[in-house]
Amino acid sequence: MNFILNSSKEILPFKKENKVSWRSPSNIALIKYWGKKENQIPANPSLSFTLSESFTETSITYLESEQKESLVLKFKFEGKENFQFQHKIETFLQKITKYFPFLNKLQLKIESHNSFPHSAGIASSASSMSALALCLCSIEKKHFGTLTDENDFFTKASFIARLGSGSASRSVFPFAASWGEIIENSISSDEFASVLPFDLHQKFKNYKDAVLIVSKQPKKVSSTAGHELMHGHPFAAERFSMAKNNLKELLSALKSGDEDVFIEIVENEALTLHALMMSSNPGFILMHPNTLKVIDKIREFRENTGMKICFTLDAGPNIHLLYSDNDQDEMNKFIKNELEEYCEDKFWIADGLGNGPIEIS
Ligand code: DP6
């Protein structure tokens, strides 16, 4: 697919003020993207569950600018001007004018907010960058009549989201998505994510994710710096091939509904991510003592009850507890009685697999 827009084919002029809005979810990686090459090309393929309750809503109001040939941007986050985010978005938009040449003649007002508190220690780049990419694709569709094919629309949105933040490429698809070329999926690519090449087994479609906020502190290491640590990492080559094998096994478990293999792979990926950070130079310990306590509790509970529950981690101390919605009542009790005390201010988010982004009118 050619992602570059031929901007001579404008069908609706930009003379009148217009607005587009999207709600786009966050995702939780099961096979972790950790390490990248130039131009946001991943060092290994990754796979995630798309969430439903943790999302960003972004709207772009736009009009032809009087200052021709340069982009004019005003950005508000949660109702307030935010110059740090504005600068980040401006740099990103300038980088992608090749794919959306119309950006250079517009004045844009972008407003964005998250469903989760900004101080919850949750990375929001996946939901925010995917929401922004979807809005830009909607502008293209409206004014140029392109991207009318749904598949083309979401593929371009994923391609653009990836340029903003790698993990964001996976957020534009429902339930589960993978990003990175793999032999198991002929449409897979390093440049955009795609849905899985089969229907996710019913067992996993209703999976829940309790996001246990062990610490609300902002991340100690930005993901950009984290990916950088994989350059020259002594275990890099082994890790990248391990991710491919784990992905292959996880795909077959997601298809057949094998929760034991799912648990084994998902926890292995989470602990490997942290092991890679610890063995980097410099090395980072991003878990909190309470992260280890919660992991112990989850494993003990699984051992004692035989219930198919497991955990995964981001590049930080917070825990995603994954389980079937059939076990929801039991898990609510378990979280309340045994895990909540390890969360900062007892805060956790009840999330689960979701349908992907929606356009809001
Ligand atoms: C540990 O997508 O945030 O969450 O491409 O530099 O923006 P950039 O990195 P980012 O990295 C995510 C890392 C991770 C694993 C994952 O989501 O796959």
Side-chain angles (χ1 to χ4, degrees):
M1 187 183 159
N2 180 14
F3 296 105
I4 299 175
L5 169 70
N6 175 354
S7 62
S8 64
K9 299 219 173 104
E10 188 174 314
I11 55 164
L12 177 70
F14 286 95
K15 302 269 182 255
K16 226 179 75 201
E17 190 171 90
N18 256 301
K19 189 174 176 180
V20 289
S21 307
W22 277 87
R23 167 189 292 185
S24 189
S26 186
N27 67 71
I28 177 65
L30 305 178
I31 302 293
K32 310 291 181 183
Y33 147 56
W34 199 243
K36 61 177 159 183
K37 306 175 201 164
E38 269 196 42
N39 299 325
Q40 293 282 105
I41 296 300
N44 65 263
S46 57
L47 185 149
S48 55
F49 276 164
T50 303
L51 298 180
S52 78
E53 305 308 314
S54 307
F55 57 78
T56 298
E57 284 184 348
T58 296
S59 65
I60 306 185
T61 312
Y62 57 97
L63 178 68
E64 193 160 297
S65 161
E66 273 134 42
Q67 302 166 17
K68 298 264 187 249
E69 298 311 312
S70 78
L71 175 147
V72 183
L73 171 67
K74 275 204 176 133
F75 178 77
K76 277 191 180 167
F77 179 68
E78 290 177 347
K80 289 195 205 104
E81 287 188 336
N82 183 318
F83 294 108
Q84 195 193 340
F85 286 177
Q86 165 149 345
H87 178 69
K88 207 175 149 195
I89 290 178
E90 221 155 34
T91 312
F92 171 59
L93 293 178
Q94 271 151 6
K95 199 165 96 182
I96 56 168
T97 51
K98 182 170 154 199
Y99 305 105
F100 298 116
F102 57 82
L103 282 174
N104 272 331
K105 65 172 188 178
L106 297 184
Q107 41 179 317
L108 308 165
K109 257 193 303 186
I110 304 184
E111 290 178 303
S112 196
H113 62 264
N114 295 337
S115 63
F116 44 89
H118 185 53
S119 59
I122 300 181
S124 59
S125 69
S127 54
S128 60
M129 282 301 172
S130 54
L132 182 59
L134 287 157
C135 286
L136 295 171
C137 288
S138 280
I139 301 179
E140 175 182 327
K141 184 176 167 187
K142 211 168 180 157
H143 290 264
F144 297 89
T146 50
L147 305 181
T148 48
D149 178 275
E150 210 175 286
N151 189 44
D152 288 352
F153 183 93
F154 287 103
T155 302
K156 180 158 182 178
S158 175
F159 172 88
I160 296 294
R162 172 197 120 239
L163 296 173
S165 179
S167 54
S169 66
R170 300 182 308 240
S171 269
V172 307
F173 297 105
F175 304 117
S178 75
W179 165 42
E181 213 176 305
I182 44 171
I183 45 170
E184 292 81 8
N185 185 355
S186 59
I187 58 161
S188 64
S189 164
D190 284 347
E191 295 193 309
F192 50 83
S194 44
V195 290
L196 306 186
F198 50 82
D199 256 354
L200 189 62
H201 193 280
Q202 205 50 41
K203 269 189 198 163
F204 295 112
K205 269 203 170 158
N206 299 322
Y207 249 50
K208 297 289 164 202
D209 176 5
V211 192
L212 306 166
I213 308 298
V214 166
S215 166
K216 296 181 179 175
Q217 295 297 313
K219 287 204 243 173
K220 274 197 239 162
V221 189
S222 73
S223 36
T224 310
H227 292 292
E228 197 52 44
L229 293 170
M230 287 308 285
H231 286 290
H233 193 292
F235 307 141
E238 189 56 34
R239 160 61 194 158
F240 301 144
S241 85
M242 170 188 175
K244 276 191 202 146
N245 285 334
N246 276 350
L247 181 48
K248 188 174 159 202
E249 284 197 42
L250 184 67
L251 282 173
S252 99
L254 291 173
K255 191 173 175 182
S256 66
D258 189 333
E259 286 175 292
D260 292 322
V261 172
F262 176 86
I263 290 170
E264 192 184 309
I265 304 283
V266 167
E267 294 194 352
N268 176 258
E269 278 288 312
L271 296 177
T272 299
L273 171 70
H274 282 260
L276 288 166
M277 288 186 284
M278 287 187 215
S279 51
S280 296
N281 189 8
F284 289 96
I285 300 174
L286 299 189
M287 290 194 218
H288 182 280
N290 285 352
T291 311
L292 297 173
K293 294 212 170 98
V294 173
I295 290 176
D296 270 353
K297 288 270 177 197
I298 292 171
R299 287 187 156 177
E300 190 184 279
F301 189 86
R302 185 168 68 219
E303 190 94 335
N304 294 340
T305 62
M307 280 167 69
K308 310 285 185 198
I309 64 168
C310 67
F311 67 86
T312 186
L313 303 162
D314 260 336
N318 299 328
I319 298 211
H320 290 249
L321 171 59
L322 302 171
Y323 55 93
S324 159
D325 72 335
N326 299 333
D327 299 331
Q328 199 149 343
D329 291 345
E330 191 116 5
M331 290 321 279
N332 278 341
K333 270 189 248 153
F334 171 51
I335 295 170
K336 266 212 143 356
N337 297 340
E338 299 200 43
L339 304 182
E340 227 178 48
E341 64 184 289
Y342 300 112
C343 298
E344 190 167 345
D345 301 328
K346 300 195 167 175
F347 183 64
W348 61 280
I349 298 170
D351 214 324
L353 259 70
N355 291 324
I358 48 167
E359 185 161 19
I360 15 190
S361 46

